[in-house]
Amino acid sequence: MQYIMKGGNPLVGDVLISGAKNAALGILAAAVMTDDTVIIDNLPDVQDINVMLSALEEIGVSVERPDRHVVKLNGSNIHTVRVDNEYIRQMRAGYYLVGALLGKYRHAEVALPGGCNIGQRPIDLHLKGFNSLHAKAGIEHGMVVADATELRGSHVYMDVVSVGATINVMLAAALAHGDTFIENAAREPHVVDVANMLNSMGANIRGAGTETIRIRGVERLHGTDYSIIPDQIEAGTFMFAAAVTRGDVTVKNIIPKHMEAICSKLKDMGCEIVEDDDTIRVVSRPRLISCNVRTSPYPGFPTDMQPQIGVAMCLAEGSGIINESIFENRFKYLDELTKMGADAKAKGMTAFIRGVERLTGAEVNALDLRAGAALVLAGLAADGITTVNNIHYILRGYENFDEKLRGLGAVIEIVKDPKESRKFRLRVS
Ligand code: UD1
């Protein structure tokens, strides 16, 4: 499958943002830590979520989907704590099941995480966290195995700020004995969302969103009805889509506070930003102005927005530098952009981008989720036709991406074979 698009139309209009994928993945794991029923609303209907739900079903969780964006889970009949299938091996967040099952059953075996190939992505901090809770956690035969006779609260210092390790330790510690303190914790909105969700199940977690999280273990968790926060990265992607196409887009159903770093860079690049209670409007200009950016943990500029701002810099007036401080392999998309006429090169974790007046359509390859989305933005801004291959990466994390873009006036479709692609070309030429 490919996305095929004809660029050049400014995107204009309103777009409704879905629930946050990365929050949802932690929340689904949390949901099975009780034997009561949990209802989760504002669930994004994307591939990663559906893989997680099928993994849960395989271990005995009852999964009902009364609506595309609602799921009803009951984890009282879990019959195994071993989670292994080819799909879970391809995603990153399967590791949340280690924390959740270790907390609930004191034992878990989960296939080693995959996910986007954007760097080494070790899990040593997750293991260190579980071991601090007096579990024995390690890697055996390609599985993450964690076992505890008793989980006891403790101090866990994160050497590196890690979203995944913070959430994972929080999950296990929610049902440990005594207090756990996570120091140098990640402060991302989805860390806070998972903590809020656990608290709504009866957990006692304070300080999520700050550098120190205190988790006072409770005996048991109970059912809840919880709505997931909006997806900060999906919203940011549409805001940059407006910027690069010289458009005027309002992202709706968002939390503006989560968007501060992104808004600040869009303003630096010359866009007008109009903020309301749960919407942000981005009005672009004929030519963006380049900037420098450094990715860092929240509240810094998110690494998951780095390829999207990279595309904007490729089209901006002047030159700029990107410092990627989180993942060491996140600039491969620049080679794809050079096929479209961009003037950009990377050295290590730094990229140098000289803006050009226009990009031209080409056939490019999505190399991971966010880089894939960024190439779509480039295609929508470019002259002529662009095809983006390997879109399964993009479908992992963006709900109805093409449909939402068409709603803003983009000329884009998913095509399955050369015949469909020829038809598209004929129609738009
Ligand atoms: C999550 C997000 C991902 C986002 C990233 C950073 C999910 C499913 N994915 O990934 O989209 O890009 O946060 O915001 O939520 N590290 C270690 N040891 C560990 C764990 C991490 O050294 O045990 C390092 C990583 O290599 C990286 C940094 O810590 O350099 C941050 O990674 P982390 O926040 O853990 O990313 P993920 O949770 O995998």
Side-chain angles (χ1 to χ4, degrees):
M1 280 201 296
Q2 293 175 314
Y3 281 129
I4 187 163
M5 68 210 79
K6 182 169 189 273
N9 280 11
L11 299 193
V12 177
D14 298 349
V15 59
L16 198 63
I17 299 306
S18 301
K21 169 186 83 89
N22 288 346
L25 290 165
I27 283 172
L28 290 178
V32 304
M33 294 178 72
T34 171
D35 284 345
D36 298 346
T37 296
V38 170
I39 299 174
I40 298 164
D41 198 354
N42 204 29
L43 187 76
D45 186 8
V46 294
Q47 187 63 18
D48 271 7
I49 296 299
N50 296 326
V51 167
M52 186 74 155
L53 287 175
S54 50
L56 292 177
E57 244 175 341
E58 261 183 39
I59 62 169
V61 176
S62 133
V63 178
E64 277 175 55
R65 203 81 176 259
D67 176 277
R68 192 175 168 200
H69 297 121
V70 180
V71 69
K72 202 168 162 185
L73 299 166
N74 186 292
S76 58
N77 286 320
I78 291 178
H79 53 74
T80 174
V81 290
R82 186 180 166 87
V83 191
D84 186 13
N85 67 39
E86 59 172 309
Y87 301 109
I88 206 85
R89 283 182 181 272
Q90 285 164 23
M91 72 186 288
R92 182 83 186 148
Y95 55 36
Y96 289 144
L97 293 175
V98 182
L101 297 173
L102 178 68
K104 188 177 182 190
Y105 299 109
R106 305 300 195 240
H107 189 77
E109 294 176 29
V110 180
L112 261 179
C116 287
N117 181 19
I118 52 182
Q120 270 193 6
R121 311 192 82 176
I123 57 157
D124 55 311
L125 293 171
H126 301 239
L127 302 178
K128 176 183 159 183
F130 297 139
N131 288 329
S132 305
L133 300 180
H134 304 270
K136 270 206 180 86
I139 296 170
E140 289 171 28
H141 309 292
M143 305 285 286
V144 185
V145 180
D147 186 64
T149 30
E150 195 198 0
L151 272 186
R152 263 183 289 137
S154 160
H155 272 80
V156 182
Y157 178 79
M158 298 287 173
D159 309 284
V160 178
V161 177
S162 161
V163 173
T166 302
I167 292 180
N168 229 344
V169 172
M170 212 161 66
L171 289 167
L175 287 174
H177 295 296
D179 287 357
T180 297
F181 293 88
I182 306 178
E183 314 276 3
N184 200 25
R187 291 179 279 167
E188 266 67 4
H190 38 295
V191 173
V192 180
D193 208 33
V194 177
N196 288 342
M197 146 78 175
L198 282 165
N199 282 341
S200 79
M201 294 172 75
N204 185 342
I205 303 174
R206 297 286 172 269
T210 72
E211 276 169 26
T212 305
I213 303 179
R214 192 218 66 201
I215 305 124
R216 180 155 292 166
V218 296
E219 283 275 307
R220 61 179 293 276
L221 296 170
H222 54 69
T224 185
D225 192 336
Y226 193 80
S227 184
I228 295 170
I229 53 164
D231 198 305
Q232 173 208 24
I233 305 300
E234 188 200 13
T237 302
F238 279 98
M239 289 161 74
F240 270 93
V244 300
T245 60
R246 304 169 178 152
D248 178 349
V249 170
T250 302
V251 287
K252 296 175 80 171
N253 182 35
I254 56 144
I255 300 175
K257 174 91 187 117
H258 296 167
M259 309 303 302
E260 278 173 0
I262 293 166
C263 286
S264 155
K265 280 295 154 196
L266 283 166
K267 281 185 197 156
D268 287 353
M269 299 189 85
C271 294
E272 188 192 334
I273 303 290
V274 188
E275 219 179 278
D276 214 331
D277 286 351
D278 63 352
T279 65
I280 293 180
R281 178 176 172 200
V282 179
V283 186
S284 192
R285 53 190 270 138
R287 183 97 195 261
L288 297 169
I289 305 155
S290 198
C291 65
N292 296 324
V293 62
R294 177 185 169 81
T295 63
S296 50
Y298 190 84
F301 190 85
T303 173
D304 283 359
M305 285 301 301
Q306 187 259 98
Q308 298 87 319
I309 197 170
V311 169
M313 288 165 66
C314 283
L315 281 162
E317 198 175 337
S319 301
I321 292 176
I322 305 179
N323 282 307
E324 167 59 55
S325 80
I326 316 253
F327 293 113
E328 65 279 8
N329 198 9
R330 220 170 182 175
F331 284 129
K332 284 179 296 180
Y333 70 96
L334 292 177
D335 292 336
E336 299 302 303
L337 286 175
T338 54
K339 295 181 191 165
M340 302 177 73
D343 183 357
K345 53 178 181 297
K347 196 162 186 250
M349 289 170 78
T350 306
F352 305 88
I353 301 179
R354 191 194 311 266
V356 293
E357 282 208 16
R358 62 194 191 105
L359 294 174
T360 51
E363 181 171 345
V364 290
N365 299 310
L367 302 162
D368 63 65
L369 167 59
R370 305 303 172 186
L375 292 176
V376 172
L377 302 196
L380 294 174
D383 292 346
I385 291 185
T386 294
T387 49
V388 178
N389 299 325
N390 303 333
I391 65 168
H392 59 275
Y393 284 118
I394 304 174
L395 301 177
R396 285 183 40 194
Y398 288 89
E399 181 176 315
N400 291 351
F401 197 36
D402 55 322
E403 200 180 310
K404 289 187 184 185
L405 288 166
R406 278 196 299 276
L408 299 170
V411 182
I412 179 169
E413 263 175 37
I414 292 186
V415 289
K416 296 194 182 67
D417 54 42
K419 199 170 143 203
E420 286 184 5
S421 153
R422 272 197 304 277
K423 267 195 197 159
F424 176 90
R425 285 171 195 271
L426 274 175
R427 210 177 45 250
V428 301
S429 63

